[in-house]
Amino acid sequence: MPKTFFITTAIDYTNSPPHVGHAYEKVLADVIARYHRLKGENVFFLTGVDQHGQKVQQSAAKAGVPPAEFVKDITQKFIDLWKKLDVQYDDWAETTSDRHKKVVQGILQRLFDEGQIYKDKQSGYYSVRQEQFLTDKERGSDGEFGPEWGEIEFREEENYYFRLSQHKEWLLAYLENRKDAVIPDFRQTELRNAVEKISDNRQSGSDLCISRPKSRLDWGIELPFDKDFVTYVWFDALTNYISFAGYTVGEADSFPYNAQPSTFRDKWPALQVIGKDILIPAHGIYWLIMLHAIGFPDDQMPQLLVHGWWNLGGAKMSKSAGNVIDPFVLSEKYGSDALRYYLMSDIATGRDADFSEERLVERYNADLANSLGNLLSRTLNMVARYRNNIATRREDPAAGFGLVNKLRSDTPSPNILTEEHARLFSDLMDKQLISSSLNSALIIANAMNAYVESRAPWKLFKEPSHADLLDAVLYGLCESLRIMAILISPVLPRAAHGIFDQLNWKMELSGKEERFSLEDAEWGRLPDGHVVGKPVPLFPRIETSG
Ligand code: MSP
């Protein structure tokens, strides 16, 4: 059986409702998942919510609601948003669920039995926001802890520690041997530098505190070997990536990687989509070391795809700063496809971007309404007017090249340029470069609009001797639209269905994702004599008052 393509996202804290940054990450993973389904692969897409921890307990207390009730309410908001934005996942991780709890406790017990977890006393400065003790490493050049740590207090406490520093050399060697453990490259370099700084000496705070005393935090998973403590939220949350994929725990030493059920091994390892803020130390250090410590071989380590952030006026979006953008409002106002398009087209994967509603409208109007939408409506209008809705298969004899190796001032061949850009699209999608791949799909629309101008079908129609050329032009337009619909379908699923519906193509699969496949993006699959449908505005222009 072919291996499943497994993709995960970070699981969002349920301390406040989702903002556009959360939406970006889930849409990004959804687009990658849809692209792999488009290639005919079996896909397992896991996302969910991080329901435990101090942040959540504090927010619930502030709202005067028990944490369990509080998280239920916020969790529902995330679920509603994914439905609204067509984020189509295969399983949903909620860290308060029993199946997850069982795996977290099983792993803790195993590490404890193996002596990888020990009890110790620690005193020092503690960041309430980041839920961790701080060391001198975290001080800025002025000797102070920066604002990113939030409120700081002095604490003395007994806790359990995971021997993280013991695995430092392994992690360095692993990163040395696998150059694409983290993408993009510059993030792998950052991670490597951070790992090098891990001290081998536990006293400097290099081991990971994996417990919190119940006396100050009880909203978590109880340690299986000490009921006075709950599990540190990151240890709990990271485990979701395997607990919801069928990872199984048994007796302390009886669950080596190779003994895992095939349902788990068929999926694992995953491509894990995360934001830049949670690579170091959470995913790049804690998570990789956790997996190594429980026996995952190096060739079964996940790959981390690290995306950048959407900022607002150059500043970080945060609830406390009061500058969060509500994705519900945007999708209500402009539609799910318009928001997905903006989030995927106006940021380069791995880099930051500045969110702007004006840009959203601008890009929608330019790329979708004026270019692609216009091409669809003029094409269908012409096929109706000149050919009674019938597309007759002919080749444009005078056109003979594409655009990538373009010879200027001549007419490109619709089939060459479409296939050329479809290939480019795939190459870029395989590298998760979504905005560039979208661009290569939309270049086809621009080029075909120019092709309409240069071939001027309205003139050809008046000349009976040009009947074949007119057929070729109209067929070329329909066929390029059909292929473009396939290419844009991961980002714009609704529009892609709209184009197929109007082309009257694969109607029996209308509304279903199986309607699209990359294999079908081959020139000439639209049969001779195909009857197209009527044009309906696909991307009505967004009028702004400005
Ligand atoms: N609960 C942890 C993750 C645990 S994963 C085992 C967490 N949650 S979060 O809600 O704060 O963030 C969830 C994801 O959203 C992170 O990957 C984070 O980078 C991403 N984003 C949060 N704000 C963002 C932007 N403004 N822009 C893009 N992504 C951002 O961290």
Side-chain angles (χ1 to χ4, degrees):
M1 204 173 87
K3 232 178 137 65
T4 297
F5 174 74
F6 182 14
I7 182 163
T8 68
T9 68
I11 50 172
D12 301 316
Y13 282 127
T14 47
N15 59 334
S16 55
H19 60 62
V20 89
H22 300 120
Y24 167 61
E25 180 176 283
K26 277 44 180 188
V27 170
L28 173 61
D30 181 63
V31 167
I32 299 173
R34 284 176 185 266
Y35 170 67
H36 282 264
R37 286 195 286 265
L38 198 66
K39 290 205 292 184
E41 290 169 38
N42 222 336
V43 172
F44 185 72
F45 171 19
L46 175 69
T47 187
V49 281
D50 189 354
Q51 296 171 311
H52 287 129
Q54 186 154 315
K55 276 189 222 239
V56 175
Q57 179 165 301
Q58 280 171 345
S59 301
K62 225 169 160 185
V65 185
E69 205 178 297
F70 184 81
V71 299
K72 212 170 155 215
D73 193 44
I74 304 269
T75 297
Q76 193 56 47
K77 291 194 166 64
F78 279 96
I79 295 174
D80 292 346
L81 181 63
W82 306 146
K83 186 150 191 249
K84 204 168 178 61
L85 293 184
D86 302 310
V87 171
Q88 227 176 78
Y89 46 84
D90 298 293
D91 213 336
W92 177 247
E94 290 189 5
T95 52
T96 52
S97 78
D98 282 343
R99 65 170 162 155
H100 172 70
K101 195 167 140 189
K102 195 166 163 246
V103 175
V104 171
Q105 291 183 326
I107 292 175
L108 285 166
Q109 188 67 54
R110 166 176 173 170
L111 293 174
F112 183 72
D113 293 344
E114 288 174 351
Q116 298 236 32
I117 288 178
Y118 59 91
K119 196 173 189 185
D120 201 7
K121 185 183 266 172
Q122 190 179 12
S123 56
Y125 293 101
Y126 185 85
S127 154
V128 177
R129 182 193 285 174
Q130 300 298 337
E131 301 180 33
Q132 69 182 77
F133 276 96
L134 302 177
T135 65
D136 285 343
K137 276 197 309 236
E138 276 85 41
R139 289 184 194 273
S141 49
D142 56 357
E144 301 292 322
F145 296 115
E148 69 276 20
W149 300 107
E151 185 194 338
I152 311 268
E153 48 188 54
F154 192 83
R155 275 191 190 171
E156 185 173 73
E157 199 167 90
E158 265 203 318
N159 266 310
Y160 287 89
Y161 291 84
F162 168 45
R163 293 189 196 280
L164 201 71
S165 49
Q166 191 171 287
H167 302 287
K168 172 182 168 179
E169 292 312 318
W170 166 77
L171 185 51
L172 280 175
Y174 166 68
L175 293 174
E176 186 56 36
N177 289 332
R178 177 157 180 205
K179 297 296 180 209
D180 65 349
V182 182
I183 32 184
D185 301 357
F186 71 96
R187 296 284 178 207
Q188 177 139 346
T189 310
E190 275 176 21
L191 173 61
R192 208 201 129 75
N193 293 342
V195 178
E196 267 165 1
K197 285 198 198 119
I198 299 177
S199 155
D200 302 314
N201 170 4
R202 186 194 67 68
Q203 294 310 329
S204 68
S206 298
D207 281 347
L208 175 65
C209 178
I210 52 94
S211 66
R212 295 294 181 264
K214 274 195 189 164
S215 52
R216 71 175 166 88
L217 175 70
D218 61 4
W219 183 237
I221 298 176
E222 193 174 274
L223 293 188
F225 42 82
D226 192 336
K227 63 178 175 26
D228 291 333
F229 292 84
V230 295
T231 312
Y232 171 47
V233 67
W234 272 105
F235 196 97
D236 163 352
L238 289 163
T239 305
N240 95 85
Y241 299 132
I242 55 176
S243 65
F244 292 95
Y247 184 79
T248 308
V249 288
E251 290 306 304
D253 56 359
S254 68
F255 55 105
Y257 184 82
N258 288 335
Q260 286 298 319
S262 61
T263 43
F264 174 73
R265 281 185 297 130
D266 283 346
K267 298 185 190 91
W268 193 260
L271 173 67
Q272 308 207 265
V273 181
I274 55 167
K276 63 178 185 177
D277 55 320
I278 57 173
L279 170 66
I280 302 168
H283 286 79
I285 300 179
Y286 302 164
W287 179 228
L288 296 183
I289 289 184
M290 279 165 70
L291 290 170
H292 174 67
I294 57 172
F296 279 58
D298 288 10
D299 61 4
Q300 295 302 326
M301 288 293 147
Q303 189 177 37
L304 304 173
L305 172 62
V306 183
H307 64 76
W309 271 37
W310 282 98
N311 297 320
L312 204 62
K316 181 176 164 180
M317 243 181 249
S318 80
K319 203 185 162 209
S320 48
N323 64 350
V324 290
I325 304 281
D326 185 345
F328 281 104
V329 172
L330 290 171
S331 66
E332 212 36 62
K333 200 163 159 190
Y334 303 114
S336 152
D337 267 11
L339 180 56
R340 288 172 66 101
Y341 181 69
Y342 176 66
L343 290 178
M344 292 299 106
S345 63
D346 220 30
I347 190 169
T349 312
R351 301 284 168 180
D352 289 356
D354 226 46
F355 187 87
S356 144
E357 197 170 330
E358 271 162 37
R359 283 280 297 161
L360 184 158
V361 171
E362 224 173 82
R363 294 219 54 163
Y364 171 94
N365 279 341
D367 305 347
L368 303 182
N370 293 357
S371 184
L372 182 55
N374 180 36
L375 181 69
L376 178 68
S377 74
R378 70 201 299 203
T379 298
L380 294 184
N381 275 319
M382 290 190 292
V383 183
R385 193 170 323 138
Y386 306 143
R387 288 292 185 256
N388 225 353
N389 295 320
I390 298 170
T392 301
R393 188 172 175 171
R394 297 261 186 280
E395 295 267 320
D396 183 337
F401 55 90
L403 271 192
V404 172
N405 300 310
K406 107 174 119 181
L407 299 169
R408 302 217 56 115
S409 76
D410 219 333
T411 309
S413 160
N415 59 345
I416 299 179
L417 98 86
T418 303
E419 290 199 319
E420 210 169 66
H421 285 84
R423 270 196 303 278
L424 204 58
F425 160 89
S426 282
D427 291 349
L428 292 162
M429 280 301 273
D430 284 331
K431 296 181 186 128
Q432 293 93 25
L433 298 172
I434 318 294
S435 61
S436 316
S437 72
L438 260 178
N439 195 36
S440 66
L442 286 163
I443 284 176
I444 304 175
N446 288 337
M448 293 309 284
N449 273 316
Y451 175 71
V452 171
E453 298 305 322
S454 77
R455 280 284 179 253
W458 44 92
K459 288 187 190 155
L460 299 177
F461 180 61
K462 289 189 189 141
E463 280 291 330
S465 63
H466 286 149
D468 280 1
L469 183 55
L470 177 60
D471 281 333
V473 172
L474 297 179
Y475 181 87
L477 292 170
C478 293
E479 193 50 348
S480 71
L481 280 160
R482 185 187 67 83
I483 292 175
M484 261 185 284
I486 298 172
L487 306 184
I488 63 168
S489 67
V491 175
L492 298 161
R494 293 180 191 214
H497 278 295
I499 297 176
F500 266 30
D501 287 347
Q502 294 190 38
L503 288 174
N504 185 31
W505 182 241
K506 297 214 168 177
M507 293 310 282
E508 68 290 358
L509 292 173
S510 187
K512 298 205 173 99
E513 204 188 336
E514 307 89 270
R515 202 180 192 190
F516 307 107
S517 96
L518 206 54
E519 216 192 323
D520 249 0
E522 186 191 52
W523 191 268
R525 292 211 175 184
L526 198 71
D528 185 24
H530 180 73
V531 179
V532 300
K534 286 198 181 56
V536 184
L538 188 62
F539 300 108
R541 263 187 79 82
I542 302 171
E543 299 303 338
T544 50
S545 44

